[in-house]
Amino acid sequence: MNIDRRRFTLLTGAACLAPGVAWAENRPLVTVYKDPSCGCCGAWADHIAEAGFPTKVIEEPRINALKNRMGVPSALWSCHTAQVDSYLLEGHIPPSAIAHLLTVRPVIRGLAVPGMPIGSPGMEVAGMSPELYDVIAFKVAYTSVFMRFRGSLQIEQ
Protein backbone atom coordinates (compact mmCIF):
# COMPACT_ATOMS: atom_id res chain seq x y z
CA MET A 1 0.00 0.00 0.00
CA ASN A 2 1.47 3.37 -0.90
CA ILE A 3 1.57 6.37 1.45
CA ASP A 4 -1.34 8.21 -0.22
CA ARG A 5 -3.62 5.20 0.12
CA ARG A 6 -2.69 4.80 3.83
CA ARG A 7 -3.33 8.51 4.39
CA PHE A 8 -6.73 8.19 2.65
CA THR A 9 -7.65 5.17 4.81
CA LEU A 10 -6.61 6.97 8.00
CA LEU A 11 -8.55 10.13 7.13
CA THR A 12 -11.64 8.16 6.10
CA GLY A 13 -11.58 6.25 9.40
CA ALA A 14 -11.17 9.49 11.38
CA ALA A 15 -14.12 11.05 9.54
CA CYS A 16 -16.32 8.08 10.45
CA LEU A 17 -15.42 8.48 14.13
CA ALA A 18 -15.99 12.25 14.26
CA PRO A 19 -19.82 12.23 14.65
CA GLY A 20 -19.61 9.86 17.65
CA VAL A 21 -16.87 11.94 19.23
CA ALA A 22 -18.90 15.13 18.78
CA TRP A 23 -21.98 13.46 20.36
CA ALA A 24 -19.95 12.33 23.37
CA GLU A 25 -18.41 15.78 23.80
CA ASN A 26 -21.83 17.45 23.64
CA ARG A 27 -23.59 15.24 26.16
CA PRO A 28 -25.18 17.24 28.97
CA LEU A 29 -24.00 17.23 32.57
CA VAL A 30 -25.58 14.63 34.86
CA THR A 31 -25.75 15.99 38.41
CA VAL A 32 -26.05 13.15 40.94
CA TYR A 33 -27.41 13.75 44.45
CA LYS A 34 -26.55 10.93 46.85
CA ASP A 35 -26.42 10.11 50.52
CA PRO A 36 -22.81 10.43 51.74
CA SER A 37 -22.81 6.83 53.04
CA CYS A 38 -24.06 5.16 49.84
CA GLY A 39 -21.46 3.30 47.74
CA CYS A 40 -23.65 2.02 44.90
CA CYS A 41 -24.60 5.61 43.99
CA GLY A 42 -20.96 6.40 43.25
CA ALA A 43 -20.70 3.18 41.23
CA TRP A 44 -23.73 4.31 39.17
CA ALA A 45 -22.13 7.73 38.60
CA ASP A 46 -18.99 5.91 37.39
CA HIS A 47 -21.11 4.01 34.81
CA ILE A 48 -22.61 7.27 33.59
CA ALA A 49 -19.18 8.90 33.27
CA GLU A 50 -17.75 5.84 31.47
CA ALA A 51 -20.64 6.14 28.98
CA GLY A 52 -19.43 9.63 28.08
CA PHE A 53 -21.67 11.81 30.23
CA PRO A 54 -19.94 14.48 32.29
CA THR A 55 -20.97 13.95 35.91
CA LYS A 56 -21.03 15.96 39.09
CA VAL A 57 -21.71 14.20 42.41
CA ILE A 58 -23.21 16.16 45.29
CA GLU A 59 -23.35 14.62 48.77
CA GLU A 60 -26.87 15.22 50.15
CA PRO A 61 -27.48 14.01 53.72
CA ARG A 62 -31.22 14.83 53.43
CA ILE A 63 -31.78 12.94 50.18
CA ASN A 64 -35.46 12.13 50.84
CA ALA A 65 -36.27 15.80 51.41
CA LEU A 66 -34.54 16.56 48.10
CA LYS A 67 -36.64 13.90 46.32
CA ASN A 68 -39.81 15.44 47.75
CA ARG A 69 -38.74 18.94 46.74
CA MET A 70 -37.91 17.81 43.19
CA GLY A 71 -41.21 15.95 42.80
CA VAL A 72 -40.04 12.33 42.53
CA PRO A 73 -43.07 10.12 43.35
CA SER A 74 -42.27 8.20 46.56
CA ALA A 75 -43.34 4.87 44.99
CA LEU A 76 -40.42 5.27 42.54
CA TRP A 77 -37.69 6.16 45.04
CA SER A 78 -34.29 4.54 44.93
CA CYS A 79 -31.04 5.52 46.62
CA HIS A 80 -30.01 8.51 44.50
CA THR A 81 -31.56 11.22 42.34
CA ALA A 82 -29.96 12.94 39.36
CA GLN A 83 -30.75 15.68 36.89
CA VAL A 84 -29.86 15.86 33.21
CA ASP A 85 -31.14 18.79 31.17
CA SER A 86 -34.75 19.27 32.30
CA TYR A 87 -35.22 15.61 33.34
CA LEU A 88 -34.99 13.85 36.70
CA LEU A 89 -33.31 10.46 36.96
CA GLU A 90 -34.17 8.29 39.95
CA GLY A 91 -32.10 5.21 40.71
CA HIS A 92 -29.91 2.89 38.68
CA ILE A 93 -30.95 3.88 35.14
CA PRO A 94 -28.74 2.40 32.39
CA PRO A 95 -26.76 4.96 30.37
CA SER A 96 -28.42 3.71 27.16
CA ALA A 97 -31.85 4.66 28.58
CA ILE A 98 -30.54 8.16 29.37
CA ALA A 99 -29.15 8.51 25.84
CA HIS A 100 -32.51 7.35 24.43
CA LEU A 101 -34.37 9.82 26.66
CA LEU A 102 -32.21 12.68 25.38
CA THR A 103 -32.74 11.58 21.79
CA VAL A 104 -36.54 11.18 21.83
CA ARG A 105 -37.18 13.92 24.44
CA PRO A 106 -40.64 12.78 25.59
CA VAL A 107 -42.86 15.15 27.53
CA ILE A 108 -42.24 13.61 30.95
CA ARG A 109 -40.70 14.73 34.24
CA GLY A 110 -38.16 11.93 34.36
CA LEU A 111 -37.15 8.27 34.48
CA ALA A 112 -36.93 5.96 37.48
CA VAL A 113 -35.70 2.50 38.39
CA PRO A 114 -37.41 1.92 41.74
CA GLY A 115 -35.46 0.07 44.40
CA MET A 116 -32.04 -1.34 43.67
CA PRO A 117 -32.30 -4.24 41.17
CA ILE A 118 -29.37 -6.65 41.16
CA GLY A 119 -27.36 -6.27 37.96
CA SER A 120 -28.49 -2.73 37.18
CA PRO A 121 -25.61 -0.25 36.66
CA GLY A 122 -23.87 0.17 40.01
CA MET A 123 -25.63 -2.86 41.51
CA GLU A 124 -23.60 -5.66 39.91
CA VAL A 125 -23.04 -8.49 42.40
CA ALA A 126 -20.57 -11.23 41.49
CA GLY A 127 -22.19 -14.63 41.22
CA MET A 128 -25.77 -13.28 41.13
CA SER A 129 -27.94 -13.25 38.02
CA PRO A 130 -29.23 -9.83 36.93
CA GLU A 131 -32.86 -9.15 37.75
CA LEU A 132 -35.41 -8.07 35.15
CA TYR A 133 -36.49 -4.48 35.82
CA ASP A 134 -38.32 -1.63 34.16
CA VAL A 135 -37.22 1.93 33.58
CA ILE A 136 -40.34 3.93 34.41
CA ALA A 137 -41.25 7.23 32.75
CA PHE A 138 -43.09 9.56 35.09
CA LYS A 139 -45.00 12.82 35.08
CA VAL A 140 -47.05 14.32 37.85
CA ALA A 141 -49.50 11.54 38.87
CA TYR A 142 -48.60 9.37 35.83
CA THR A 143 -46.15 6.54 35.16
CA SER A 144 -45.50 4.11 32.30
CA VAL A 145 -42.79 1.63 31.32
CA PHE A 146 -40.16 3.45 29.22
CA MET A 147 -37.74 0.54 28.66
CA ARG A 148 -37.04 -2.91 30.16
CA PHE A 149 -33.62 -4.28 31.19
CA ARG A 150 -31.94 -7.33 32.67
CA GLY A 151 -28.70 -6.00 34.11
CA SER A 152 -27.38 -3.54 31.54
CA LEU A 153 -28.97 -5.35 28.59
CA GLN A 154 -32.14 -3.92 27.10
CA ILE A 155 -34.99 -6.41 26.70
CA GLU A 156 -37.36 -5.93 23.76
CA GLN A 157 -40.95 -5.30 24.80
Side-chain angles (χ1 to χ4, degrees), residues 56-136:
K56 176 181 178 181
V57 177
I58 298 174
E59 304 286 332
E60 178 55 61
R62 298 191 59 214
I63 192 72
N64 290 345
L66 176 97
K67 293 172 190 297
N68 277 325
R69 210 170 42 252
M70 291 181 150
V72 178
S74 61
L76 301 179
W77 283 8
S78 182
C79 54
H80 59 268
T81 302
Q83 289 180 291
V84 61
D85 279 357
S86 61
Y87 295 106
L88 292 175
L89 305 171
E90 180 66 20
H92 294 267
I93 298 165
S96 60
I98 298 169
H100 186 63
L101 171 74
L102 295 171
T103 298
V104 298
R105 298 219 173 251
V107 181
I108 60 173
R109 184 66 183 112
L111 298 177
V113 171
M116 298 164 68
I118 299 296
S120 61
M123 288 298 301
E124 299 88 353
V125 178
M128 294 189 72
S129 297
E131 296 176 332
L132 181 65
Y133 62 95
D134 294 325
V135 174
I136 306 295

